[in-house]
Amino acid sequence: MEKEDGIRAFLSTPIEYLKGVGPQRADTLKTESGIFFFEDLLRLFPFRYIDRTRFYKVNELKGDLPYVQVKGQITTLKAVPLKRGQKLTARFEDETGSVELVWFQGVRWIKDKLQINTPYVLFGKPVLYQRQLNIPHPDLETVADFNASPLKGLQAVYPSTEKLKRRGLDSRGLSKLIRQLLEQIPGKLPETLPDKIIRHFNFPELHAAYQQIHFPQNPDTLEAARNRLKFEELFFIQLRLLKAKTQRHHDVPGIVFSKVGQHFHAFYDQYLPFELTGAQKKVIREIRQDMGSGKQMNRLLQGDVGSGKTMVALLTMLIALDNGYQAALMAPTEILAIQHYESISRYLEPLGIRTALLTGSTKASERKSLHESLASGELHILVGTHALLEDPVSFKKLGFVVIDEQHRFGVAQRARLWKKSVRPPHILVMTATPIPRTLAMTLYGDLDTSVIDELPPGRKPIKTIHQFDSARLAVFGFMKKEIAKGRQIYVVYPLIQESEKMDYKDLQDGFESIEKAFPAPEYHVSIVHGKMKPADKDFEMKRFQEGKTQIMVATTVIEVGVDVPNASVMVIESAERFGLSQLHQLRGRVGRGADQSYCVLMTGDKLSDDGRTRIKTMTTTNDGFRIAQVDLELRGPGDISGTRQSGILDLKIADLTKDYDILSHARKLAARLLQQDPKLQDVSLQGTRNELLRLEKLHPNWSMIS
Ligand code: ADP
Ligand code: MG
């Protein structure tokens, strides 16, 4: 134990105390790479390896090769003056040919160091510049040095930056520091994974894994080390999440909804307007079971746009009512809250269930009577925006809360919900932004999840078309044809920042040109955007919903949830400026009726690579989960909406776009371990406990995301 404490103390030594670092380099390491302590350097993982056993010949070099290694000699070397400064060029030759080397920095120093006609091992990336192959800023090492070097086989490449390089900490410099550090550890790194798991996967020990990830012996030992370290990273995240969940179940008694009663059955048997899909039934079963279990439910319901989440919410709210509790539904925007309120109250009125709406624009006088009827229990269901949280409403017996579109609600807001009730209500969070499995398991790993993976029958898949701005007239012509068939159309403009003047100008210009192309009295056009007064927005939305206008020009205000089944065309302007999940959300506004629906993506002529991938993805698939996966690959997990603040996704080695298998094993084994030993009390788990403690200290907050 003492020895392990010694190692832990060693690992938490400030980085300036590592030999060869000192205060200046330490500063740069801290600001550039977040390396403060010895252990941070140990966890600076290589992003790539160079195979130092593989040599190319000069005549094999091509511009599309990655880094290559070549043996040869320098035959000429000269400094060439440039307008500003100078460059150094050299001819590098082997028996098959020659290639130019260039340096733009450190010319004098490099020139002095290099020797003509001496055998070198060159390492660099060939590039094609004005149809000539050259190798900029190669590394050169004499063959004698190369042979004497301990770095054979695979050599790690570390992420460095200009500032680090200026302090001599390029990949090689970093590698040297890490080698030193590994040599100085006073013993073996204490093991963190339970012995059983190590044996189960035949993992290398922690110490060996660190050695191999930095200085691999061969591709197999590297692979084993990498798998272990990835597993370890994901395992401890899962352990924390699942432990928090177990703890919560233990600390927070759940309201038990023991029965499904009269409200549910009456509605189900007499008023349900359609047969539920198999997926809807399955999800309702899962929720019922959860709410009857004695645990407080915290469930994420994922279902693509149009999959029928609202009906699931409604039926499950009836279960709360059947058990003598009130229910609430919270939506991210006023328009959505109104829409939910209208459909829910319409459905439930015949059953004598009382529903009310609370938003920022609810008048003070209404609020007062609303508060009273909530407190007395006369009011059964409250639908609203976040006003529902901010308002000092108190319920008589709040048992169930549905949150529509979770990513707009923060942690603190959810915590406030809990305070609305003596016992925390069951919570169902619904999201139409499908989240790739790996993200869901990590980001929402302490929630239970349900998925509606089936659309109601009879829907025709939406046809998605890409058009350049230059084809606008053709698009207008198409819109006219659809309007002639009695259809309605959305035209959406990007509004990245609700306050950006530019975007409003686009919107306004677009509105004017559409009004010109679609003149009254034949056509009527609505406009809705975030700067309008809620009452005006409502008015316009209503006109569109009632079919009084054929075109709705809007910003992303309509992004979530609005349901107008007769709208069958979605035109998205500057589609290249939208992210994939937003495009998918917008497209989901159409395709709700029986008619063939269309989504037209308008873009400028020039598209970035990412832009092209996004448009292509949209035109080739309607599957929200596939789109989410592409989105994850394009943007990386940190950028997916609403996830940024959590820090849980700052992974050092595992990759959520690729490591699904490792993650699911990690989750399963973490769950099993907690089941056997919820507090990890067994002596054999000392190392695991210590590591958990270390991580909890490092990121104290991220397990609070639900
Ligand atoms: P979302 O999951 O996007 O919130 P909604 O709940 O708004 O989807 O449902 C989309 C549309 O599908 C609504 O018009 C709803 O009435 C209808 N719908 C829901 N479930 C079914 C079903 N099982 N059969 C037919 N139509 C359904
Ligand atoms: Mg919805």
Side-chain angles (χ1 to χ4, degrees):
M1 272 312 102
E2 259 167 52
K3 188 156 182 208
E4 292 194 356
D5 288 343
I7 295 175
R8 263 188 290 276
F10 173 81
L11 290 175
S12 49
T13 311
I15 194 70
E16 47 265 50
Y17 297 113
L18 188 65
K19 195 170 150 246
V21 176
Q24 284 190 331
R25 277 182 157 186
D27 272 354
T28 317
L29 281 168
K30 285 175 198 170
T31 50
E32 293 291 290
S33 305
I35 296 171
F36 290 82
F37 304 102
F38 286 8
E39 60 186 335
D40 298 331
L41 184 63
L42 205 57
R43 288 193 189 85
L44 178 73
F45 292 118
F47 62 96
R48 179 155 73 65
Y49 295 84
I50 300 149
D51 183 356
R52 304 237 47 179
T53 58
R54 165 89 161 95
F55 286 93
Y56 281 80
K57 294 289 178 200
V58 169
N59 70 355
E60 292 175 302
L61 300 184
K62 276 185 279 177
D64 55 2
L65 284 175
Y67 280 76
V68 295
Q69 201 168 237
V70 195
K71 270 186 196 161
Q73 8 195 308
I74 292 171
T75 51
T76 63
L77 189 62
K78 61 174 184 257
V80 182
L82 297 174
K83 258 189 233 143
R84 238 187 258 159
Q86 53 179 346
K87 71 174 178 181
L88 180 66
T89 65
R91 275 275 121 211
F92 186 80
E93 227 177 83
D94 70 1
E95 68 279 10
T96 68
S98 76
V99 62
E100 189 179 64
L101 314 180
V102 280
W103 290 266
F104 297 96
Q105 273 158 15
V107 169
R108 206 169 327 146
W109 181 68
I110 293 164
K111 187 161 180 267
D112 287 347
K113 206 179 71 168
L114 293 176
Q115 294 152 26
I116 308 274
N117 298 330
T118 304
Y120 274 108
V121 174
L122 172 150
F123 177 73
K125 161 102 187 77
V127 296
L128 215 47
Y129 178 70
Q130 292 177 343
R131 298 214 208 124
Q132 286 288 320
L133 208 57
N134 73 39
I135 304 181
H137 288 256
D139 278 348
L140 288 156
E141 199 175 7
T142 61
V143 169
D145 281 351
F146 177 83
N147 288 337
S149 154
L151 302 173
K152 291 280 161 42
L154 294 167
Q155 186 183 322
V157 183
Y158 295 93
S160 182
T161 66
E162 271 316 309
K163 283 186 186 148
L164 281 169
K165 282 180 192 161
R166 246 179 272 147
R167 298 224 180 267
L169 294 177
D170 55 1
S171 175
R172 254 182 216 218
L174 289 164
S175 172
K176 258 191 213 155
L177 290 185
I178 293 170
R179 173 177 292 276
Q180 244 200 77
L181 178 63
L182 277 168
E183 281 165 0
Q184 286 176 19
I185 297 175
K188 249 168 57 176
L189 293 170
E191 186 50 60
T192 47
L193 289 177
D195 202 35
K196 251 195 238 166
I197 289 182
I198 303 235
R199 271 184 284 129
H200 178 83
F201 290 104
N202 203 7
F203 279 147
E205 291 179 345
L206 185 65
H207 193 88
Y210 272 112
Q211 270 173 332
Q212 290 301 312
I213 201 85
H214 291 298
F215 301 100
Q217 251 161 10
N218 61 54
D220 296 336
T221 56
L222 172 60
E223 183 70 6
R226 194 168 18 207
N227 281 338
R228 182 213 144 112
L229 292 170
K230 282 180 172 193
F231 179 92
E232 166 145 3
E233 184 168 42
L234 297 171
F235 176 78
F236 278 99
I237 290 176
Q238 293 301 323
L239 202 58
R240 279 188 71 181
L241 289 168
L242 295 172
K243 200 163 152 263
K245 180 174 161 185
T246 320
Q247 191 67 36
R248 196 177 58 219
H249 283 163
H250 180 264
D251 295 349
V252 181
I255 301 166
V256 180
F257 290 168
S258 55
K259 60 177 184 208
V260 173
Q262 177 215 334
H263 291 308
F264 184 95
H265 287 302
F267 182 78
Y268 199 95
D269 298 340
Q270 294 166 45
Y271 299 103
L272 194 65
F274 36 67
E275 172 80 6
L276 293 182
T277 62
Q280 284 171 317
K281 286 183 192 161
K282 173 196 73 184
V283 167
I284 290 170
R285 264 199 307 276
E286 287 167 357
I287 295 172
R288 256 171 70 176
Q289 223 163 41
D290 212 359
M291 295 195 302
S293 71
K295 287 182 244 163
Q296 186 241 355
M297 178 172 79
N298 260 289
R299 185 169 285 272
L300 179 72
L301 172 58
Q302 294 192 62
D304 219 335
V305 261
S307 60
K309 293 185 292 294
T310 313
M311 190 49 76
V312 169
L314 187 144
L315 283 162
T316 46
M317 287 197 286
L318 292 179
I319 299 177
L321 268 53
D322 279 339
N323 286 275
Y325 284 85
Q326 294 161 300
L329 187 153
M330 194 157 65
T333 66
E334 177 146 20
I335 292 179
L336 259 176
I338 294 169
Q339 184 161 340
H340 276 308
Y341 167 70
E342 283 174 354
S343 66
I344 290 171
S345 54
R346 188 164 14 91
Y347 279 132
L348 298 185
E349 203 143 50
L351 294 172
I353 293 171
R354 286 198 47 203
T355 310
L357 176 71
L358 176 68
T359 72
S361 27
T362 305
K363 291 197 192 72
S365 53
E366 279 174 61
R367 262 172 216 254
K368 193 159 167 279
S369 71
L370 204 143
H371 289 173
E372 283 166 14
S373 52
L374 267 181
S376 71
E378 253 171 273
L379 192 59
H380 306 109
I381 294 177
L382 182 64
V383 178
T385 56
H386 57 272
L388 207 146
L389 296 176
E390 281 146 23
D391 204 84
V393 279
S394 71
F395 291 77
K396 182 168 184 231
K397 256 180 124 181
L398 178 63
F400 181 38
V401 180
V402 180
I403 301 176
D404 197 13
E405 301 303 342
Q406 116 294 327
H407 58 270
R408 312 226 165 170
F409 286 104
V411 179
Q413 290 174 311
R414 262 184 256 175
R416 258 185 268 169
L417 249 183
W418 282 37
K419 302 206 181 94
K420 298 274 173 197
S421 183
V422 186
R423 278 200 176 180
H426 294 299
I427 295 179
L428 181 70
V429 174
M430 306 198 293
T431 170
T433 315
I435 303 164
R437 283 182 299 179
T438 53
L439 263 191
M441 272 156 78
T442 311
L443 204 52
Y444 303 109
D446 61 342
L447 306 187
D448 292 300
T449 53
S450 290
V451 180
I452 306 186
D453 49 7
E454 181 187 356
L455 291 181
R459 300 260 172 91
K460 290 200 182 76
I462 301 162
K463 286 194 179 136
T464 302
I465 304 147
H466 172 212
Q467 290 283 12
F468 291 108
D469 288 340
S470 46
R472 184 168 308 278
L473 281 182
V475 174
F476 281 174
F478 170 72
M479 287 164 65
K480 284 186 177 156
K481 266 201 224 143
E482 288 300 304
I483 293 173
K485 289 190 213 157
R487 303 289 104 78
Q488 288 168 286
I489 297 176
Y490 295 104
V491 181
V492 178
Y493 285 81
L495 218 102
I496 309 304
Q497 293 278 323
E498 283 276 347
S499 60
E500 263 179 34
K501 277 206 192 89
M502 258 308 284
D503 289 340
Y504 272 105
K505 189 168 174 334
D506 285 355
L507 175 75
Q508 215 58 48
D509 290 353
F511 179 57
E512 278 162 28
S513 82
I514 285 172
E515 277 200 312
K516 222 177 266 163
F518 296 84
E522 196 179 351
Y523 299 102
H524 300 279
V525 184
S526 284
I527 183 166
V528 168
H529 58 75
K531 279 196 176 165
M532 287 164 72
K533 286 200 198 101
D536 295 341
K537 263 194 262 183
D538 278 6
F539 177 77
E540 287 296 328
M541 286 301 302
K542 208 166 224 135
R543 289 208 312 150
F544 188 68
Q545 260 162 352
E546 289 167 355
K548 290 182 181 146
T549 62
Q550 297 102 334
I551 301 177
M552 160 70 71
V553 176
T555 60
T556 43
V557 168
I558 61 150
E559 184 189 339
V560 264
V562 174
D563 194 11
V564 182
N566 190 49
S568 65
V569 182
M570 167 65 65
V571 179
I572 304 178
E573 293 283 346
S574 304
E576 71 271 30
R577 291 180 59 190
F578 288 95
L580 264 178
S581 69
Q582 231 181 348
L583 289 172
H584 182 61
Q585 285 287 311
L586 286 168
R587 177 167 64 183
R589 299 303 108 224
V590 297
R592 302 191 152 211
D595 312 303
Q596 176 63 55
S597 293
Y598 301 90
C599 174
V600 184
L601 305 173
M602 306 288 299
T603 71
D605 297 337
K606 282 204 190 113
L607 289 178
S608 65
D609 286 350
D610 274 14
R612 205 169 304 126
T613 308
R614 287 197 299 267
I615 301 291
K616 176 136 186 269
T617 307
M618 289 298 293
T619 54
T620 49
T621 183
N622 278 309
D623 177 345
F625 280 94
R626 253 186 72 194
I627 290 171
Q629 183 65 33
V630 177
D631 201 25
L632 175 63
E633 280 159 21
L634 284 179
R635 296 198 293 164
D639 266 344
I640 304 288
S641 63
T643 65
R644 217 158 318 187
Q645 71 281 29
S646 97
I648 191 173
L649 299 174
D650 298 339
L651 300 179
K652 290 224 170 335
I653 187 162
D655 178 351
L656 292 182
T657 60
K658 299 193 185 105
D659 294 329
Y660 174 74
D661 287 341
I662 301 180
L663 173 57
S664 52
H665 276 125
R667 183 169 174 86
K668 204 161 62 194
L669 288 164
R672 194 180 298 165
L673 185 66
L674 285 169
Q675 207 174 23
Q676 289 161 356
D677 189 352
K679 300 216 158 126
L680 308 179
Q681 280 165 324
D682 195 86
V683 262
S684 70
L685 296 176
Q686 174 82 43
T688 306
R689 255 188 339 259
N690 284 338
E691 179 65 2
L692 203 58
L693 272 173
R694 185 184 74 81
L695 291 166
E696 280 167 357
K697 256 189 241 156
L698 204 57
H699 314 280
N701 290 324
W702 67 234
S703 71
M704 301 293 289
I705 47 173
S706 58

